[in-house]
């Protein structure tokens, strides 16, 4: 086995390369130190998976037909994690507070994305980021990236201006 990266945070996409994985996943599994991963794609030589939220550092193992591969070491790093968006639905221009952990005390090279679009924060702290919802952005995932590690996303819904919202 070989991995596209030797470390990453929970929610990070990782490509595993090797041989004899089987053309389809069927009952085969990929684990991070014993924690089963969600699979994005599976072929006989390549698996794309997401590092599980509860994963810890240790071996990455592919098991096919009850036969486990040798483990390849993977370091799970404590990445940023979003716990809430307030509000979680609003029109463009609204100020939104992103609450979570491991954002870092200062923004430095860290980023916030709304539906894949970068957003300039108004304020930044280790547990809270305040941003304005940019015009022209669609509903979708909000992520925070710190030190190259992306948080799992929370969904934000863009609504038309002027309506009542629950």
């Amino acid at each position: 086995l070989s991995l596209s990266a030797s470390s990453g945070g929970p929610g990070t996409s990782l490509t595993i390369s090797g041989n004899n994985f089987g053309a389809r996943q069927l009952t085969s599994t990929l684990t991070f130190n014993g924690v089963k991963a969600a699979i994005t794609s599976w072929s006989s030589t390549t698996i794309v998976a997401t590092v599980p939220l509860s994963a810890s550092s240790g071996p990455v193992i592919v098991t096919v037909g009850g036969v486990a591969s040798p483990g390849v070491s993977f370091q799970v790093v404590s990445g940023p994690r979003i716990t809430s968006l307030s509000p979680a639905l609003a029109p463009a221009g609204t100020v939104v507070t992103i609450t979570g952990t491991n954002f870092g005390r200062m923004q430095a090279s860290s980023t916030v994305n709304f539906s894949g679009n970068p957003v300039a924060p108004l304020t930044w702290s280790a547990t809270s980021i305040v941003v304005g919802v940019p015009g022209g952005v669609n509903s979708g995932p909000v992520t925070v990236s710190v030190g190259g590690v992306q948080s799992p996303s929370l969904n934000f819904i863009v609504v038309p201006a002027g309506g009542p919202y629950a």
Side-chain angles (χ1 to χ4, degrees), residues 66-147:
V67 178
S69 70
V72 175
S73 182
F74 185 80
Q75 179 73 33
V76 176
V77 295
S78 295
R81 200 175 297 268
I82 300 172
T83 55
S84 68
L85 302 172
S86 181
L89 69 136
T94 301
V95 172
V96 174
T97 300
I98 302 167
T99 304
T101 58
N102 298 325
F103 296 155
R105 289 187 348 230
M106 298 179 351
Q107 180 184 2
S109 63
S110 301
T111 60
V112 175
N113 283 290
F114 270 68
S115 296
N117 298 297
V119 179
L122 303 171
T123 66
W124 189 289
S125 75
T127 59
S128 178
I129 302 168
V130 177
V131 298
V133 178
V137 72
N138 294 319
S139 297
V142 174
T143 59
V144 175
S145 294
V146 177

Side-chain angles (χ1 to χ4, degrees), residues 53-73:
L53 295 178
S54 59
S56 59
S57 297
V60 174
I61 297 173
V62 177
T63 303
V64 178
V67 178
S69 70
V72 175
S73 182

